[in-house]
Amino acid sequence: MGGSFLLIPKQSKYAEQAYEAIKWMLSPEQQLEVAKISGNFPSTPSVYGDKTFTEQGFDFWGGQKLGVLFAEVSKDVKVQRKGPNYQTVEDIINDGMQAVTVGKSEDPEKEFWELVEKAKTKLKNK
């Protein structure tokens, strides 16, 4: 699900300090530093044109400099809304993925259609 869930509980004794830490974490300078160190895609669009981001090569991609491409593609990403049954369906899918990857299910396509039926049944019974 990524790392985009930042919040400060209402009961926090240190809400102001937590807010300052979040502001620091999300600052353009810090986003660039994290991208440089780990290759994480920055969540702050104002850094997408910075050479620190656009000129960085990624070992996983054979050294390609994908910052420009990723920044361009990110402009078209639509916000995803998760409905009230999201977690129910995600749990079923995760179980199926475990069966295929860890349990080495003999027939991944059969496993997929069984997951679809499990989800339909579970949602019908809610």
Side-chain angles (χ1 to χ4, degrees):
M1 296 186 59
S4 59
F5 297 97
L6 302 172
L7 60 92
I8 302 169
K10 186 177 182 178
Q11 302 82 357
S12 175
K13 294 179 184 178
Y14 304 101
E16 285 184 40
Q17 293 88 339
Y19 180 75
E20 289 303 315
I22 290 171
K23 265 183 28 181
W24 172 79
M25 247 188 323
L26 298 179
S27 71
E29 301 80 20
Q30 194 58 25
Q31 290 287 302
L32 280 173
E33 189 62 27
V34 170
K36 186 168 56 174
I37 292 168
S38 67
N40 283 2
F41 186 75
S43 62
T44 305
S46 66
V47 304
Y48 295 169
D50 191 289
K51 285 186 179 184
T52 301
F53 177 64
T54 60
E55 294 296 317
Q56 179 178 356
F58 294 90
D59 290 340
F60 181 81
W61 299 104
Q64 293 182 67
K65 297 174 182 172
L66 298 174
V68 174
L69 173 65
F70 289 166
E72 195 60 36
V73 169
S74 73
K75 293 176 186 174
D76 295 327
V77 172
K78 305 288 185 258
V79 173
Q80 292 182 347
R81 303 277 184 227
K82 295 180 177 117
N85 296 313
Y86 172 81
Q87 193 62 55
T88 300
V89 173
E90 183 183 42
D91 290 345
I92 292 168
I93 290 169
N94 286 339
D95 290 346
M97 290 180 73
Q98 287 290 320
V100 171
T101 58
V102 177
K104 304 293 185 205
S105 172
E106 295 290 320
D107 189 348
E109 185 159 340
K110 180 180 175 226
E111 186 71 39
F112 171 79
W113 290 110
E114 286 176 7
L115 293 176
V116 170
E117 291 306 314
K118 283 180 190 176
K120 285 180 181 179
T121 300
K122 188 83 166 191
L123 294 175
K124 196 183 304 181
N125 295 328
K126 279 195 134 210

